[in-house]
Amino acid sequence: MSDLFDKIVSLCKQRGFIFQSSEIYGGLSATYDYGPLGVELKRNVKDRWWEAMVYQHDDIVGLDAAIFMHPKTWEASGHTEAFNDPLIDDKASGNRYRADELIEDYIRGLRMDDEQERAEAVHKRLVRALNSDDTNDALYAIIQDEEIRAPDSGAFDWTEVRQFNLMFETHMGPLKEEGSELFLRPETAQGIFVNFHNVREPVRKHVPFGIAQIGKAFRNEIVARQFVFRMREFEQMEMQYFVKPGTELDRFAEWKQKRMDWHQSLGIRPSKLRFHEHEQLSHYANAAEDIQYEFPIGWKEVEGIHSRTDFDLSRHQEYSGKKMTYYDPFEEERYIPYVVETSVGLDRTILMLLSDAYYEEEVRGDTRSVLRFHPEIAPTRAAIFPLVKKEGLPEIAHRIEDDLRDHFNVLYDERGSMGKRYRRQDEAGTPFCITVDFDTLDDQTVTVRDRDSMEQDRVAIDQLATYIHDKTATWSVDG
RNA sequence: GCGGGAAUAGCUCAGUGGUAGAGCAUCAGCUUCCCAAGCUGAGGGUCGCGGGUUCGAAUCCCGUUUCCCGCUCCA
């Protein structure tokens, strides 16, 4: 783990951004809590995303679907099937296969080669394996004994057969009885798909239009690590854009660019962002690219943009028996819309912002740690200090604090020396520090110190809100 | 999940069988007060948790939890 990453994790704990869940009980794996500063940062990012997606597009509306969904949802989406099976990985290619299907394919191969007896023997063994108490080991033994090779790489280099159960299970109702099993959603997207008509009809939208949602999702990851990068409980910001089949790739290109622009609008350095094309597409996608950020731990995915075809709506139509078609009154045609999805990890975005904003610099032989957040997402917009805590300066500072509260999240601090107070706010990422001094008593002006340049401006008290608004609007990464 | 390493104050760490420490941070007071100034003082740790060995365990042994590194998946 890199030094920089460790420093960010320490700072998060020390300043109250993010810390481990249930720490007094020894912590809970891959689960983190957002403290006072973290929750402000997170809210600001959510607000900014909602503003960019919902308020800036008249063809996108919001939704807040429940975390619990009918179990059939996950059968339709393919999650039940894909994550409740005996899976085996080819170490050579990294591809993952269903162990039982691998063996079935092998049996088909034997039959094609006219080795009927052997095929029958393996088939019997497969049936026994699937009905045994120890299916995984039994399947693994067949693959080993028959020296079944990976279909793509031709390699014979397998992991163990493992039962994957990616979804968290729980029970509806106080009795844990048969048939009451529910899953915590592993993605927010399905809440959008199943509500396609419920949303579209009341808001009278025509295709193309989108539905946006921010919410928690849960995945029982085999390996969940690297701070908030991969958690078992995490938050997604997703938008599903419904389009006419045949137009999806143009929309895909459009959303790719819009989403990249959004990340840059947060103040993220463009050189640290890139697109990354998927090498293999999911069964439901006909185009997929990620937006990656260069974290201190390497290039990692922050957002996925996928052209999901009509897979999801078709499957829900099939499993629910309800029509998921859209009638276009202008073209007078009926079809199941295609979907372009933008899905960004909120916690990953937070980690990206922390990573990108963190700087250490030498100031008069001393090291200054500073989080150079975009002022609009900084947990605290401005801090107000009296130069000394007497001679009436605190009273003036408190009056400024009260005035600015109507505009921004602000904070008052009179403890410690000026230098110390500035440094504290640097580590919290507060972009502006306002100091009431003795001149204020005569001319009603204060100093405003800029977090990034450490330079000060003299500003009239009644101009402070305007000054901060202007500085916020013109802020850029390079200052 | 498998293999390897680690866990001592809010943070970073020292302490290898004999009464728990440092720096930073936090708090109070003084101060000539605009970039972590100085001085004085204070609070805070059953050394991750449980068990064992021992006269005595932060230190040795076992288990467990959490974290880190590799394999893997994704938001």
Side-chain angles (χ1 to χ4, degrees):
Chain A
M1 190 68 44
S2 75
D3 284 356
L4 177 58
F5 200 71
D6 286 344
K7 281 180 181 169
I8 291 168
V9 174
S10 289
L11 182 94
C12 281
K13 169 85 190 289
Q14 208 166 352
R15 291 289 163 186
F17 280 96
I18 301 168
F19 29 78
Q20 202 179 13
S21 162
S22 316
E23 204 188 58
I24 62 166
Y25 291 107
L28 187 65
S29 179
T31 313
Y32 289 87
D33 296 341
Y34 284 77
L37 293 186
V39 71
E40 294 300 332
L41 183 61
K42 199 174 181 185
R43 288 172 60 93
N44 291 343
V45 171
K46 283 197 235 185
D47 287 349
R48 223 181 142 82
W49 184 85
W50 197 263
E51 165 75 29
M53 300 301 274
V54 180
Y55 299 154
Q56 293 297 324
H57 291 92
D58 72 350
D59 57 352
I60 296 180
V61 293
L63 174 70
D64 186 21
I67 287 171
F68 294 147
M69 296 186 72
H70 194 287
K72 280 220 161 183
T73 307
W74 309 113
E75 288 176 30
S77 70
H79 284 85
T80 311
E81 194 181 6
F83 297 112
N84 239 333
D85 283 313
L87 299 180
I88 189 164
D89 294 350
D90 171 20
K91 291 185 196 166
S93 66
N95 290 346
R96 174 166 291 166
Y97 306 93
R98 273 179 62 168
D100 52 341
E101 286 183 352
L102 211 56
I103 297 167
E104 278 169 10
D105 286 346
Y106 173 73
I107 294 168
R108 262 194 294 281
L110 288 176
R111 291 203 166 117
M112 302 261 282
D113 297 344
D114 218 26
E115 297 197 50
Q116 301 301 343
E117 276 181 35
R118 191 146 158 238
E120 202 47 46
V122 177
H123 178 71
K124 276 185 181 161
R125 205 176 158 192
L126 173 63
V127 173
R128 261 203 316 278
L130 290 172
N131 291 316
S132 81
D133 294 335
D134 211 358
T135 302
N136 292 347
D137 288 348
L139 292 173
Y140 183 73
I142 297 172
I143 289 167
Q144 287 299 316
D145 293 348
E146 299 293 325
E147 287 190 31
I148 297 174
R149 292 179 172 274
D152 299 317
S153 67
F156 183 63
D157 188 11
W158 298 108
T159 60
E160 302 274 289
V161 175
R162 295 172 292 194
Q163 196 71 26
F164 277 61
N165 202 339
L166 172 128
M167 291 192 289
F168 279 92
E169 217 173 293
T170 186
H171 292 266
M172 181 74 108
L175 286 175
K176 189 175 172 180
E177 55 195 14
E178 199 70 18
S180 66
E181 295 91 356
L182 276 190
F183 297 108
L184 304 187
R185 66 181 177 201
E187 62 176 23
T188 53
Q190 298 305 326
I192 293 177
F193 295 133
V194 301
N195 282 308
F196 175 63
H197 289 308
N198 283 343
V199 173
R200 191 190 63 77
E201 284 165 13
V203 294
R204 297 157 47 235
K205 293 293 178 194
H206 292 295
V207 170
F209 80 101
I211 302 174
Q213 173 167 224
I214 300 175
K216 290 266 176 112
F218 304 83
R219 290 186 196 173
N220 229 335
E221 296 289 346
I222 310 152
V223 175
R225 265 175 215 159
Q226 289 167 321
F227 199 41
V228 296
F229 186 79
R230 185 178 292 103
M231 298 195 289
R232 296 214 164 93
E233 172 181 346
F234 61 102
E235 204 157 0
Q236 295 182 306
M237 303 188 289
E238 293 198 307
M239 192 278 295
Q240 310 293 335
Y241 197 74
F242 300 93
V243 305
K244 182 178 172 178
T247 64
E248 71 272 11
L249 293 180
D250 290 340
R251 294 300 188 168
F252 175 77
E254 196 177 301
W255 278 109
K256 241 181 72 181
Q257 195 51 50
K258 279 193 179 182
R259 294 307 304 149
M260 179 60 92
D261 293 346
W262 183 78
H263 287 281
Q264 294 186 8
S265 82
L266 292 172
I268 304 297
R269 287 166 286 177
S271 63
K272 293 280 191 177
L273 288 164
R274 72 178 185 194
F275 287 112
H276 180 257
E277 203 171 338
H278 280 213
E279 277 146 30
Q280 24 175 181
L281 295 174
S282 305
H283 55 285
Y284 55 74
N286 67 2
E289 281 197 49
D290 297 336
I291 293 176
Q292 296 188 331
Y293 174 76
E294 191 177 15
F295 289 95
I297 51 176
W299 287 96
K300 302 270 187 186
E301 178 183 349
V302 175
E303 174 154 5
I305 297 123
H306 305 128
S307 176
R308 290 180 78 126
T309 69
D310 61 355
F311 175 83
D312 297 280
L313 289 179
S314 296
R315 292 276 288 196
H316 285 302
Q317 174 167 296
E318 183 186 335
Y319 278 72
S320 69
K322 302 286 192 305
K323 279 242 179 331
M324 286 297 173
T325 53
Y326 164 76
Y327 178 72
D328 183 335
F330 309 109
E331 307 277 333
E332 297 188 336
E333 57 179 336
R334 187 180 297 279
Y335 56 82
I336 294 178
Y338 271 37
V339 171
V340 174
E341 165 189 87
T342 73
S343 174
V344 57
L346 176 53
D347 309 283
R348 288 183 178 185
T349 304
I350 298 296
L351 187 58
M352 170 177 74
L353 287 164
L354 287 162
S355 303
D356 209 65
Y358 186 83
Y359 285 86
E360 283 180 358
E361 44 189 51
E362 291 297 313
V363 179
R364 302 184 192 183
D366 207 54
T367 305
R368 175 175 91 120
S369 303
V370 55
L371 286 170
R372 297 170 69 182
F373 294 129
H374 188 301
E376 247 175 42
I377 59 161
T380 309
R381 184 73 66 91
I384 301 112
F385 312 141
L387 187 62
V388 299
K389 48 183 164 179
K390 53 186 174 187
E391 323 250 355
L393 302 190
E395 288 73 10
I396 298 172
H398 276 304
R399 277 205 294 278
I400 293 171
E401 179 197 1
D402 289 343
D403 288 346
L404 291 182
R405 263 187 211 293
D406 292 340
H407 304 272
F408 318 105
N409 185 24
V410 295
L411 170 152
Y412 172 89
D413 190 9
E414 61 176 25
R415 288 186 290 218
S417 69
M418 285 311 302
K420 219 171 235 181
R421 283 181 259 173
Y422 284 146
R423 293 293 194 274
R424 270 200 285 263
Q425 294 310 314
D426 288 342
E427 286 198 344
T430 306
F432 306 107
C433 290
I434 297 160
T435 301
V436 175
D437 59 22
F438 292 105
D439 291 343
T440 309
L441 298 173
D442 301 325
D443 62 8
Q444 300 296 303
T445 65
V446 292
T447 61
V448 181
R449 178 263 199 183
D450 180 86
R451 173 196 65 201
D452 303 331
S453 67
M454 296 190 286
E455 283 164 8
Q456 295 175 6
D457 279 346
R458 194 87 203 167
V459 179
I461 290 174
D462 57 13
Q463 290 300 306
L464 276 172
T466 307
Y467 176 90
I468 292 169
H469 272 304
D470 290 350
K471 282 279 184 179
T472 299
T474 57
W475 185 88
S476 72
V477 193
D478 309 317

